[in-house]
Amino acid sequence: MPINSRVIDNPKSDRVKRVAGLASHKTRERVGRFLIEGPQSVREAVRWRPDVVQDLYVQEDASPAVRGIEEESQDSTIYVHHVTAEVMARISKDAQGIVAVGNAAAMDVSPESLEIGPGALVAAFWQVRDPGNAGTVIRAADAAGCAAVILVDDCVDRLNPKTIRSTAGSLFHIPVLTMGTDEFFAFAAARKMPVWAADVYGVPGREPEALPDVLANLGKDGQGKGGKDERAPKAVLFGNEARGLEPAELERCERIVSIPIYGKAESLNLGTSAAVMLMSLAMSSHAGTIWAV
Amino acid sequence: MPINSRVIDNPKSDRVKRVAGLASHKTRERVGRFLIEGPQSVREAVRWRPDVVQDLYVQEDASPAVRGIEEESQDSTIYVHHVTAEVMARISKDAQGIVAVGNAAAMDVSPESLEIGPGALVAAFWQVRDPGNAGTVIRAADAAGCAAVILVDDCVDRLNPKTIRSTAGSLFHIPVLTMGTDEFFAFAAARKMPVWAADVYGVPGREPEALPDVLANLGKDGQGKGGKDERAPKAVLFGNEARGLEPAELERCERIVSIPIYGKAESLNLGTSAAVMLMSLAMSSHAGTIWAV
């Protein structure tokens, strides 16, 4: 609500140093705050998760678009501070006139509270390490209407500034959780969600099923050849960007599904694979009645 | 075939300057050569288009993987030069031990010579300006088994080093042509390829059709609601990464197809849109008999 009337003009002030320090994982852990950079991410945070946003730092000569975000923030208890261009440059190279400081604890979601409706899709990523990839897959999961994203095992921090930028706001649209591997499979079992592995290799004796065949059968029995309740939710688990999933994880998955490559390309990258797999499943379930004819 | 026995160790030599200069568009135009950087791109060039590759520059302390590429190049008339780490650093920051110099003219494909078989898919991109995006969409088109990529109107240079890196070798797997807008539509008409626009807005009086509906009907009549020859090839035209397609281009397209967004994400980026649309169409045509049941 309140706009601080004094323009912050000292790039060496403690406050400015504290905000700039949120680029570091250690500092984020210690102070429980994180940085949201740039108009797109800040706008989506203010719009969808005003409860998360504590402070807004707006460059004094900001564009009308940025001013609009500042205005929108006034419906909530968000503190606005105007800063000089020099101060903003010290805070972030990717501000484009605006950053926000968020409360990390407010981003936490307990697995128990997750709403996973009939037919819902949950996107899970095992050991995704690159911040840009993590953001891209969260955005793809959002576009596909996933109920949640689960970062499994040792993944990049979902509050890494580069991850947030790469989500293009999607971090504030859907719940993003982190879990250990055992915890993830236990969670899926408790929610009666079969886990499908997205993987091109499979394990000895278990060739992956091709995605087009899986899609073609989805409309008929809801779970493809395995045939269970058509409206059961499911989780799709993707592997590390370089190494994929390991046999131990694959063995625990109900099905293994691969995206076919029709040309000479060796593979699709993680972001593209996630988008193709999740959007295909979403499109087939949304066109369910048509696919079944 | 021949390996030059003398190691190039002078980063200021004319030859090294000439190769490094290929990072510039102007120089590429003037000398008709282009730069291929890094093991993945160079390997695919050597393997699929040895006719294009003229010289290989290999760092003297290169990895066994890079040595393997050098060895593979010896089946063709490719000149190999060993260089010091210092020279390689001068040539390219993205070499990872190996670069190649290619002959630009050998990459040219005449539209008349293009083989576009029954049911083939051609991916066309209008005014794509970002080198990374151009590379990503060429890779997606390759994965989807497209017969060709056409860069329409004022696009980034397909021989831009960053574009080549982003294709992950796909530039050497499928023909990539450049055409003017009129030339592209005339080419499609001459080849009896309907052009589908990938676009979320459409034009007044013409709402886009949703991709899942289009896919669901594909198996039945080959062209969806418009229903023509099931095995006709088709071209899908994507717009500029920021502005999409303009009404003038949309009006010239037979159909307008949009990818639905199910969550709160505003949009998919160009690379993701191309992958989802092209892979969906490819998967549906490859699973044609199944989709039709």
Side-chain angles (χ1 to χ4, degrees):
Chain A
M1 213 183 300
I3 298 188
N4 194 327
S5 59
R6 201 177 65 75
V7 173
I8 301 176
D9 58 2
N10 179 5
K12 291 180 178 165
S13 74
D14 283 349
R15 177 185 278 273
V16 171
K17 275 185 202 162
R18 272 202 309 273
V19 177
L22 297 176
S24 135
H25 180 72
K26 260 193 194 159
T27 307
R28 289 198 298 277
E29 291 273 288
R30 188 166 48 75
V31 303
R33 303 281 178 275
F34 68 103
L35 200 58
I36 309 162
E37 303 161 304
Q40 187 177 34
S41 295
V42 174
R43 185 189 64 229
E44 297 304 297
V46 164
R47 187 165 296 168
W48 296 98
R49 296 298 308 272
D51 59 306
V52 164
V53 182
Q54 299 190 319
D55 293 274
L56 229 53
Y57 293 86
V58 181
Q59 201 167 309
E60 50 183 351
D61 57 351
S63 67
V66 165
R67 290 288 170 202
I69 301 168
E70 177 181 337
E71 216 162 281
E72 195 170 337
S73 80
Q74 296 306 291
D75 300 338
S76 320
T77 40
I78 296 173
Y79 288 82
V80 176
H81 314 268
H82 292 147
V83 305
T84 61
E86 195 192 359
V87 164
M88 192 58 104
R90 174 74 184 83
I91 290 178
S92 162
K93 280 183 191 124
D94 299 288
Q96 298 174 259
I98 191 164
V99 301
V101 171
N103 175 4
M107 292 296 288
D108 285 343
V109 188
S110 78
E112 296 72 32
S113 71
L114 261 193
E115 284 177 39
I116 302 174
L121 207 54
V122 168
F125 300 91
W126 183 77
Q127 294 192 355
V128 54
R129 296 281 163 77
D130 177 78
N133 280 345
T136 303
V137 298
I138 292 170
R139 183 177 176 185
D142 180 18
C146 289
V149 169
I150 303 179
L151 301 177
V152 181
D153 203 49
D154 189 13
C155 287
V156 64
D157 179 14
R158 74 205 155 126
L159 302 182
N160 177 302
K162 187 170 177 198
T163 300
I164 298 180
R165 283 203 309 280
S166 303
T167 71
S170 290
L171 183 70
F172 307 107
H173 297 159
I174 50 170
V176 179
L177 293 79
T178 57
M179 291 186 191
T181 305
D182 288 345
E183 190 188 354
F184 166 69
F185 281 102
F187 168 77
R191 293 299 189 99
K192 301 201 189 320
M193 283 196 300
V195 179
W196 293 10
D199 187 81
V200 290
Y201 301 109
V203 285
R206 267 180 87 191
E207 287 276 307
E209 304 170 62
L211 179 58
D213 299 337
V214 171
L215 291 172
N217 284 292
L218 257 190
K220 292 187 212 153
D221 57 20
Q223 295 290 316
K225 292 162 193 162
K228 289 205 186 136
D229 174 18
E230 182 175 344
R231 302 299 290 157
K234 58 181 152 297
V236 184
L237 179 65
F238 298 82
N240 170 272
E241 46 264 85
R243 295 171 292 110
L245 286 165
E246 295 191 357
E249 279 68 44
L250 287 170
E251 296 284 11
R252 298 173 79 166
C253 294
E254 188 141 328
R255 301 174 74 171
I256 305 175
V257 182
S258 74
I259 300 172
I261 302 284
Y262 297 110
K264 300 192 191 90
E266 279 173 85
S267 63
L268 298 170
N269 66 28
L270 175 62
T272 304
S273 299
V276 169
M277 179 83 75
L278 296 172
M279 288 298 296
S280 295
L281 288 168
M283 291 194 290
S284 71
S285 86
H286 282 262
T289 50
I290 301 172
W291 296 78
V293 289
Chain B
M1 213 184 303
I3 297 188
N4 195 326
S5 59
R6 201 178 66 74
V7 173
I8 301 177
D9 58 2
N10 179 4
K12 291 181 179 163
S13 73
D14 283 350
R15 177 185 276 273
V16 172
K17 276 186 202 159
R18 273 202 308 274
V19 177
L22 297 175
S24 137
H25 180 72
K26 260 193 193 158
T27 306
R28 289 197 298 277
E29 291 273 287
R30 186 165 50 75
V31 303
R33 303 281 178 274
F34 68 102
L35 199 59
I36 309 163
E37 303 161 304
Q40 187 178 35
S41 294
V42 174
R43 185 190 64 229
E44 297 304 296
V46 164
R47 187 165 296 169
W48 297 98
R49 296 299 307 274
D51 58 307
V52 164
V53 182
Q54 299 190 319
D55 294 276
L56 228 54
Y57 293 86
V58 181
Q59 201 166 310
E60 50 182 352
D61 57 350
S63 66
V66 165
R67 290 290 169 198
I69 302 168
E70 178 181 335
E71 215 163 281
E72 195 170 337
S73 79
Q74 295 308 292
D75 300 338
S76 321
T77 42
I78 295 172
Y79 288 83
V80 176
H81 314 267
H82 293 148
V83 305
T84 60
E86 194 192 1
V87 164
M88 192 58 104
R90 173 75 184 81
I91 289 177
S92 162
K93 280 182 191 124
D94 298 287
Q96 299 173 258
I98 190 164
V99 301
V101 171
N103 174 4
M107 292 296 288
D108 285 343
V109 188
S110 78
E112 296 73 31
S113 72
L114 261 194
E115 284 177 39
I116 302 175
L121 206 53
V122 168
F125 300 92
W126 184 78
Q127 295 193 354
V128 52
R129 296 281 163 76
D130 177 77
N133 280 344
T136 302
V137 299
I138 291 169
R139 183 178 177 185
D142 180 18
C146 289
V149 169
I150 305 179
L151 301 178
V152 182
D153 204 51
D154 188 14
C155 287
V156 65
D157 179 15
R158 74 205 156 126
L159 302 182
N160 178 301
K162 188 170 176 197
T163 300
I164 298 181
R165 283 202 310 278
S166 303
T167 71
S170 289
L171 184 70
F172 307 106
H173 298 160
I174 50 170
V176 179
L177 294 79
T178 57
M179 292 187 189
T181 304
D182 287 345
E183 190 187 354
F184 166 68
F185 281 101
F187 168 77
R191 293 300 188 97
K192 301 202 188 320
M193 283 195 300
V195 179
W196 294 9
D199 187 80
V200 289
Y201 301 110
V203 285
R206 267 181 87 190
E207 287 276 307
E209 303 171 64
L211 178 58
D213 299 337
V214 171
L215 292 172
N217 284 292
L218 257 189
K220 291 187 212 154
D221 57 21
Q223 294 291 318
K225 293 162 195 162
K228 287 200 186 141
D229 174 15
E230 181 175 343
R231 301 298 291 157
K234 58 182 153 296
V236 183
L237 179 64
F238 297 84
N240 171 272
E241 46 263 84
R243 295 171 291 109
L245 286 164
E246 294 190 359
E249 279 68 43
L250 287 170
E251 295 284 11
R252 298 172 79 167
C253 295
E254 188 142 327
R255 300 175 72 173
I256 305 176
V257 181
S258 74
I259 300 172
I261 302 283
Y262 296 111
K264 301 191 190 92
E266 279 172 86
S267 62
L268 298 170
N269 66 28
L270 175 63
T272 305
S273 299
V276 169
M277 178 84 75
L278 297 171
M279 288 297 298
S280 296
L281 289 168
M283 290 194 290
S284 71
S285 86
H286 282 262
T289 49
I290 301 171
W291 295 80
V293 286

